[in-house]
Amino acid sequence: MRVAPVGGTAVQDHVALAEIELCGELIIAASAADEDRLSQESIDEVLKVAEERADASGY
C-alpha cells in the first residue's frame, strides 16, 4: 500500500477548487431560495456571469 508523504507536499488544483467554491455558492443560494428551483437569472447572478462577460469584453 502506498501512502502520501506527510508534510506539505499536497498539490492544489486551482481550477477544481474554484469549481467547488462555485458549487458551494449555488448550494447556499438554492437552500435560501423561496422557490423549488433557482431561475437561470438567479444562477447567473450567483456565478457572476454578467461580471465575467463585462470583464471579457473590456466594458
Side-chain angles (χ1 to χ4, degrees):
M1 170 171 56
R2 300 186 88 184
V3 177
V6 176
T9 60
V11 175
Q12 290 187 358
D13 183 339
H14 297 285
V15 173
L17 292 174
E19 289 177 358
I20 291 166
E21 184 176 338
L22 290 173
C23 286
E25 290 175 17
L26 282 172
I27 292 167
I28 291 167
S31 67
D34 294 332
E35 303 170 11
D36 289 338
R37 299 178 69 162
L38 289 176
S39 67
Q40 187 64 50
E41 293 81 22
S42 296
I43 293 170
D44 288 349
E45 184 179 326
V46 170
L47 298 179
K48 300 176 180 149
V49 172
E51 292 175 22
E52 290 297 321
R53 287 184 182 153
D55 289 345
S57 67
Y59 293 106

